[in-house]
Amino acid sequence: MRSVVVLALLAGCGDNNDLDRCLPDGFADGESMVAGAPLGPFVRAGQLATSSRRFALTHAFVLDETPGACGTAPAEGRRLVIAFCEQPTETDYAIVPESLFSCGAGEALAVVEEANGTDVVKANAGTVAITSAGVCIAGTYALTFGGDMLEGSFDVAVCP
């Protein structure tokens, strides 16, 4: 997953009912201790096109702890990355361990990364529920990283 996010980060747009949530940084909430360190609060949320050598991942939601301009990767902090094999649609996705992951099975991968793209910890279970997939993509997540849990909501879209 390291190469998934080292690509361009995109700032997000918010939910269809509150467009102020989308400009310019997207919206995401959720804070917890993950892998022995705090994760969050998130200050921007975006979607980016991506690729991976191991899987056919094509889209990723990125929830960042540090601000930045559209298309820029942060210089510090950590981020939550949720990766999909295709453009996410209004449905529920199961988060599965990387060893069990399969494209086309309604599954997604989740990982916490350092700003330099190094994986900190990968989720071993959870769900992502996309509730709106129009101009802005809205939803919720509940993820398990070993014994740590992280829950929240997001509003993201591709930056123009």
Side-chain angles (χ1 to χ4, degrees):
M1 289 272 293
R2 175 185 218 151
S3 64
V4 169
V5 177
V6 177
L7 305 171
L9 268 183
L10 302 175
C13 273
D15 89 19
N16 293 332
N17 298 322
D18 182 3
L19 294 179
D20 290 337
R21 288 170 62 132
C22 75
L23 299 174
D25 300 319
F27 167 80
D29 63 7
E31 288 183 63
S32 186
M33 292 292 288
V34 176
L39 179 64
F42 299 116
V43 297
R44 66 176 169 160
Q47 179 184 334
L48 61 104
T50 188
S51 63
S52 73
R53 293 181 191 144
R54 185 168 176 198
F55 301 109
L57 300 169
T58 61
H59 294 79
F61 294 162
V62 180
L63 312 182
D64 262 312
E65 292 181 321
T66 56
C70 178
T72 63
E76 57 187 33
R78 298 194 303 170
R79 60 182 165 244
L80 172 63
V81 178
I82 303 170
F84 305 87
C85 291
E86 55 194 28
Q87 175 67 40
T89 61
E90 292 180 23
T91 193
D92 294 346
Y93 294 88
I95 299 295
V96 297
E98 189 175 66
S99 62
L100 301 176
F101 180 75
S102 174
C103 281
E107 298 175 350
L109 293 175
V111 63
V112 174
E113 290 183 343
E114 296 289 347
N116 66 5
T118 302
D119 292 350
V120 175
V121 63
K122 297 174 184 176
N124 58 324
T127 59
V128 176
I130 308 294
T131 56
S132 174
V135 175
C136 295
I137 300 171
T140 60
Y141 59 91
L143 308 172
T144 303
F145 298 88
D148 300 325
M149 296 189 70
L150 178 65
E151 296 180 321
S153 61
F154 56 83
D155 294 283
V156 298
V158 175
C159 186

